[in-house]
């Protein structure tokens, strides 16, 4: 494994852009080909997923605890009453699609 290239058997050397440094040497890698949103137009991008083995971090003991209830309307409710709303990515994309359709039709 090099700084800006990685060698994969049966594929050869690939240029690589690291999203973060690996914490240990990888034991295996999975190659994922990125396809377009419609599944028909390839973007000619590949992603590499590395498997690495690390030692678990031992956290200090504490008397604090929290309960978490996962739901549909409210994504999570903590035992102290804090609520986290469910993400709504589809709603945002529908609004964006309507704007794009309006621009294309106009």
């Amino acid at each position: 494994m090099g700084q800006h290239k990685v060698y994969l058997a049966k594929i050869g050397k690939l240029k690589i852009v690291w999203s973060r440094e690996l914490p240990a040497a990888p034991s295996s890698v999975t190659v994922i080909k990125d396809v377009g949103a419609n599944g028909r137009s390839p973007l000619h991008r590949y992603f590499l997923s590395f498997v690495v083995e690390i030692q678990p971090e031992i956290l200090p003991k504490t008397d604090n605890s929290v309960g978490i209830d996962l739901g549909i309307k409210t994504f999570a409710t903590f035992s102290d009453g804090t609520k986290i709303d469910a993400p709504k990515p589809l709603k945002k994309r529908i609004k964006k699609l309507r704007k794009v359709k309006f621009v294309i039709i106009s």
Side-chain angles (χ1 to χ4, degrees):
M1 192 167 63
Q3 191 76 341
H4 300 289
K5 290 187 180 189
V6 66
Y7 176 80
L8 298 175
K10 299 183 183 179
I11 295 175
K13 287 185 181 179
L14 299 174
K15 288 183 193 176
I16 193 165
V17 177
W18 294 98
S19 60
R20 61 182 161 260
E21 191 175 319
L22 295 178
S27 59
S28 69
V29 63
T30 302
V31 180
I32 302 132
K33 183 177 183 180
D34 189 18
V35 295
N38 60 10
R40 289 184 287 251
S41 57
L43 299 177
H44 303 291
R45 293 190 312 184
Y46 293 85
F47 295 93
L48 302 177
S49 176
F50 295 93
V51 175
V52 295
E53 189 171 329
I54 59 170
Q55 294 301 317
E57 180 182 343
I58 298 176
L59 300 174
K61 291 191 179 203
T62 179
D63 291 333
N64 299 335
S65 64
V66 65
I68 303 173
D69 179 36
L70 300 177
I72 295 174
K73 242 183 169 177
T74 304
F75 178 68
T77 304
F78 300 129
S79 56
D80 66 359
T82 305
K83 292 184 179 186
I84 299 175
D85 292 329
K88 307 243 189 265
L90 180 61
K91 201 172 196 178
K92 289 180 184 178
R93 288 194 174 99
I94 289 173
K95 284 183 181 181
K96 189 174 182 178
L97 178 63
R98 286 184 185 143
K99 288 180 184 178
V100 171
K101 279 185 175 179
F102 179 75
V103 171
I104 293 173
I105 293 171
S106 299

